[in-house]
Amino acid sequence: MRNDHVKEQYRINERIRVPEVRLVGDNVAVGIYPISRALQMAEDMGLDLVEISPNALPPVCKITEYQKFLYQQRKRQKEQKAKSVKIVVKEIRFGPQTDDHDYNFKLKHAKSFLEEGAKVKAYVFFKGRSILFKEQGEVLLLRFANDLEDYGKVEQMPVLEGKRMIIMLAPRKTASSSKQAAAKTQPSNPREEAKNE
């Protein structure tokens, strides 16, 4: 279905209904030609006249093999899609009085998310009268950001939005490399480990 969209995007040969076109490409002299002359040139070469820029005045066309042209366009679109980076945002929710066990569990998850390259949106959710503990929520989020200092940097300080206090953390590029460096400094030889003990 996507291929049909690419095909319909370009008019070819007799479907190009304008009095003149600008020809570009390697196999022709660049310039403006009457449509009949451009179609004749394409036919003489055994190729197609493909409209590549319909909004230009006059429209820009290229003499090429249409299937090969479509293949190159699809390939270019795939490359552009691959280059575009998708940013993943993972959410971690706290209550204003989260205990240490839950906190450490969520901290461990946040570390793994940041190491994977995802952003972390941590928030404290205030239910009912617990909004009175908003200072406690802010302290919790700042402690969370401080504990993740080696893995991520604070993108947005704690902000109260309705019943949520939110902090955003983005991954540090050096988080995984510093972990690898720490692993290298530890002795890998069991004899050396025994000596150190």
Side-chain angles (χ1 to χ4, degrees), residues 97-111:
Q97 287 146 342
T98 301
D99 66 6
D100 285 341
H101 178 265
D102 282 349
Y103 175 82
N104 290 329
F105 182 76
K106 291 176 182 187
L107 184 69
K108 187 174 134 188
H109 279 287
K111 284 178 184 175

Side-chain angles (χ1 to χ4, degrees), residues 93-97 123-128 130 163-165:
R93 176 182 165 163
F94 293 102
Q97 287 146 342
Y123 64 92
V124 178
F125 185 74
F126 300 102
K127 257 194 245 174
S130 67
K163 292 187 174 195
R164 289 177 169 192
M165 185 171 282

Side-chain angles (χ1 to χ4, degrees), residues 50-79:
V50 182
E51 186 181 54
I52 56 174
S53 182
N55 297 331
L57 284 173
V60 179
C61 294
K62 186 175 187 177
I63 295 176
T64 185
E65 188 180 326
Y66 186 55
Q67 292 304 319
K68 184 179 174 185
F69 174 77
L70 286 178
Y71 171 77
Q72 289 170 340
Q73 292 303 108
R74 285 189 207 109
K75 190 175 173 184
R76 195 173 295 136
Q77 284 176 353
K78 276 185 185 175
E79 285 171 5

Side-chain angles (χ1 to χ4, degrees), residues 152-175:
K153 57 181 184 276
V154 176
E155 223 175 48
Q156 175 191 321
M157 290 304 278
V159 175
L160 188 65
E161 293 179 6
K163 292 187 174 195
R164 289 177 169 192
M165 185 171 282
I166 299 168
I167 192 168
M168 283 293 288
L169 299 162
R172 284 193 191 276
K173 290 189 169 78
T174 57

